[in-house]
Amino acid sequence: MRISPKSVRDFRGFAWPKDWAKTGIPIRAHLALFAAMLLIPALLLSGLLIRDAAGERRREAEARVVQLASDLADDISNDLERSLTILRSLSISQSLALGDLQAFHAQSRQTLVGRDAVIILLDPTGRQLMNSAIEWGDPLGPYSAAADLRRAVATKEPVVTNMFWGQLRSRWVINVLLPVVDMGTVTRVLVLSMTPDRIRRLLDGQDVGGQWTTAVSDRTGQIIARSRQHEEYLGKRLNADLYQAKEGPRVPHSIIGMDGQRIVRAVAHTRLGDWTVAASVSEAYLSQLVYQATRDLIIGTVLILGLATVLVAFYARELAKALGSVSKAMTGKPPVTIVREATEVARALSEASTALRQSEERFRGIYQNAATGIVIVSLDGSLQSCNPGFAQMLG
């Protein structure tokens, strides 16, 4: 293949080496260009896959935040409903119907075996009639959460309170209230009082890992339980941004957390009590996940493309050697190559070259040593050459 210097120089603006302009582009350069045409799109595709994989890792983390919040909200809702079921079963007990409060006291204690909770029986005004936390007959004080009691009596519906400081137990408590209605009138109110430790155990039941945080807050934004640093945050209120975001949609959002670090957070709400259940992970950890995913994919891509480059280079060298054997066929014995057609062409050219060379040698022997005169004349009649015999004949 012959390419003029000007056409090579002007081809798409590239400045090719000067020797290529004189002799043409070698087959190795063609093969290298062909390999680049294959590898560059693969490299671009790898870049797109790396970008998408990094985004997918973040989306997976955000989806887990949403799922954690939703699952915990369901678990806490189910636990509150179980508490309400206990109260409903006690509300129809024989001892309560007969007004035998001492027997009802014993029954309440028996019902709560294995649960860190207390059963309280109130009249509609808030006077305690029975409290399973103390011995029967001990004096009883007034009920602390009067506002929630009034709401339960007025609505005749179950009420889940916010967390408040229980005077009798001298600790944070949460109450579930069930009005006992007889003939359309609230005659008594049953209360199941539990501590935040029960909610915390539900959080601990989720295997969230050290970088993830779950928390539960009541309607006022007061923290009831937290999977990390529970004792430090218990009773504290959410900051203004977190409190406003608790009413938002159940989608992950970036926000400043209680510790001042930026987090990705999702919230859900319990069916009873309308508590806010939040799950979050730090932005720094998400960035680390994205970095690790990107790094691993880049390393894998470099190794795969590097191996592909080595294999292509090796194969291109063999192809170049195979095609180069054709040009060497006229000067010696052609090598056996990986390309069958090139080997066959080179062998045929070598055999033809050998036959031609032998024929020329025979002709030259005859031409030089013949006793008769031999002359070679061009088409226009001019003498081109003659053998010694012809020269002797003409003197």
Side-chain angles (χ1 to χ4, degrees):
M1 179 177 65
R2 303 290 295 178
I3 301 178
S4 69
K6 184 176 185 304
S7 63
V8 173
R9 217 172 20 249
D10 293 343
F11 179 71
R12 295 192 181 275
F14 287 104
W16 300 93
K18 294 181 179 179
D19 57 335
W20 290 12
K22 296 178 181 179
T23 62
I25 301 174
I27 187 63
R28 290 180 183 273
H30 282 289
L31 292 175
L33 183 60
F34 181 68
M37 290 178 180
L38 295 178
L39 292 177
I40 288 176
L43 185 61
L44 294 176
L45 178 61
S46 298
L48 294 175
L49 293 177
I50 289 172
R51 184 197 64 182
D52 292 344
E56 183 62 26
R57 181 61 61 90
R58 184 180 180 91
R59 287 189 292 272
E60 288 175 358
E62 292 178 344
R64 189 186 179 194
V65 167
V66 174
Q67 190 63 47
L68 270 176
S70 178
D71 290 346
L72 282 172
D74 287 340
D75 289 345
I76 295 171
S77 296
N78 292 337
D79 192 72
L80 292 174
E81 289 171 354
R82 282 192 292 270
S83 298
L84 196 57
T85 300
I86 291 174
L87 293 178
R88 287 196 174 106
S89 66
L90 289 174
S91 70
I92 58 174
S93 70
Q94 184 77 17
S95 57
L96 182 61
L98 296 175
D100 188 355
L101 299 185
Q102 184 175 0
F104 184 72
H105 179 274
Q107 182 183 3
S108 299
R109 283 191 166 185
Q110 183 64 33
T111 302
L112 295 177
V113 171
R115 291 177 67 97
D116 181 18
V118 173
I119 296 294
I120 303 171
L121 181 64
L122 306 173
D123 68 12
T125 65
R127 183 171 63 93
Q128 291 194 55
L129 304 175
M130 187 277 299
N131 190 318
S132 66
I134 61 177
E135 297 299 326
W136 174 254
D138 288 351
L140 299 172
Y143 181 65
S144 301
D148 294 310
L149 174 62
R150 289 192 296 270
R151 182 155 62 97
V153 172
T155 62
K156 301 176 184 178
E157 295 291 337
V159 171
V160 177
T161 69
N162 295 317
M163 188 175 68
F164 63 96
W165 187 258
Q167 296 178 357
L168 178 63
R169 306 177 71 183
S170 297
R171 60 188 305 182
W172 293 107
V173 294
I174 306 128
N175 289 352
V176 179
L177 285 71
L178 175 68
V180 179
V181 182
D182 184 17
M183 303 296 291
T185 302
V186 176
T187 58
R188 296 182 182 89
V189 177
L190 278 169
V191 179
L192 188 148
S193 180
M194 69 184 77
T195 65
D197 289 339
R198 178 159 188 81
I199 307 301
R200 181 188 179 182
R201 286 193 291 271
L202 293 176
L203 299 188
D204 293 341
Q206 293 283 344
D207 184 17
V208 296
Q211 299 297 331
W212 303 76
T213 303
T214 54
V216 182
S217 57
D218 62 22
R219 293 184 298 274
T220 66
Q222 192 172 216
I223 296 177
I224 298 173
R226 204 169 186 266
S227 61
R228 300 173 62 196
Q229 301 171 294
H230 169 78
E231 298 297 337
E232 179 181 345
Y233 286 94
L234 177 63
K236 290 186 177 180
R237 297 190 181 276
L238 301 175
N239 60 42
D241 290 341
L242 292 176
Y243 183 72
Q244 292 174 4
K246 78 184 184 70
E247 300 298 337
R250 190 181 293 187
V251 294
H253 51 274
S254 182
I255 199 169
I256 301 298
M258 293 286 289
D259 56 1
Q261 302 296 320
R262 182 161 289 278
I263 59 174
V264 172
R265 178 175 179 262
V267 300
H269 296 89
T270 59
R271 296 187 294 272
L272 291 175
D274 195 28
W275 292 349
T276 300
V277 181
S280 63
V281 62
S282 68
E283 280 279 8
Y285 181 66
L286 282 187
S287 298
Q288 182 182 353
L289 289 179
V290 171
Y291 166 76
Q292 289 175 348
T294 303
R295 180 197 61 190
D296 294 344
L297 285 171
I298 288 176
I299 292 174
T301 300
V302 169
L303 291 176
I304 293 173
L305 290 182
L307 177 61
T309 301
V310 171
L311 294 176
V312 168
F314 171 78
Y315 201 69
R317 185 187 67 179
E318 294 300 316
L319 287 177
K321 183 167 65 175
L323 296 176
S325 67
V326 176
S327 63
K328 297 177 181 178
M330 304 294 288
T331 58
K333 184 178 180 181
V336 177
T337 69
I338 63 173
V339 182
R340 183 178 62 187
E341 289 79 1
T343 301
E344 292 174 351
V345 171
R347 184 181 295 117
L349 287 174
S350 178
E351 292 173 355
S353 175
T354 300
L356 178 62
R357 187 167 52 252
Q358 292 174 352
S359 176
E360 287 181 348
E361 289 175 354
R362 288 194 299 269
F363 173 75
R364 191 172 298 279
I366 296 172
Y367 182 78
Q368 294 292 337
N369 301 318
T372 59
I374 301 174
V375 62
I376 298 175
V377 182
S378 66
L379 294 177
D380 60 1
S382 60
L383 183 66
Q384 296 293 313
S385 67
C386 65
N387 69 341
F390 188 81
Q392 289 179 0
M393 291 173 60
L394 297 182

